[in-house]
Amino acid sequence: MTRPMENCGFATALRAIEGKWKVDILCELGTAARRFGRLRQAIPAISEKMLAQQLRELEADGLVSRTTYPETPPKVVYSLTERGAALNVAAEALCQWGLRYGDDAGQVEARAVASA
């Protein structure tokens, strides 16, 4: 027997962005394709190891593409795929919700921390 949430599109979308830094990475790539170093500069709190890991996961999920140019040293550029761009568009509604109900969302955050 399947649970109701297993086939829920919302749950699928949440699993795609699961991880502390994926939303930040998707937002940055939503403005322009970027090299690894530029992404690292744009998200200063993320470690290089975590950025590399999150990018690999986003690439495996088909949300980010990695293009390597045959130069010395090699040039690698990350960009959103069509699927990743569509997820960013869908996430915009959640961003607007957070802006509108930010004070209430703080209560949700406090409950999540307290129950952890």
Side-chain angles (χ1 to χ4, degrees):
M1 182 174 170
T2 62
R3 297 184 323 204
M5 290 301 290
E6 286 181 7
N7 295 322
C8 174
F10 186 71
T12 301
L14 288 178
R15 281 191 299 273
I17 58 172
E18 200 171 47
K20 184 174 180 177
W21 301 104
K22 288 183 181 176
V23 171
D24 296 272
I25 294 167
L26 290 170
C27 287
E28 282 301 320
L29 293 177
T31 60
R34 304 227 198 274
R35 294 179 70 173
F36 186 90
R38 292 285 184 194
L39 273 173
R40 179 82 171 78
Q41 288 174 348
I43 312 169
I46 192 172
S47 70
E48 286 188 26
K49 178 182 176 184
M50 183 57 66
L51 178 57
Q53 177 185 330
Q54 298 282 276
L55 284 167
R56 278 193 300 274
E57 290 176 13
L58 288 165
E59 186 180 6
D61 290 339
L63 302 173
V64 169
S65 76
R66 179 181 190 271
T67 305
T68 305
Y69 295 92
E71 300 176 2
T72 305
K75 177 180 173 183
V76 177
V77 176
Y78 295 92
S79 59
L80 291 181
T81 61
E82 184 178 329
R83 186 176 180 176
L87 181 57
N88 267 5
V89 169
E92 180 62 29
L94 288 174
C95 293
Q96 293 304 317
W97 181 90
L99 291 171
R100 183 171 181 189
Y101 299 105
D103 292 337
D104 295 339
Q107 295 170 0
V108 172
E109 239 177 72
R111 280 195 304 275
V113 169
S115 68

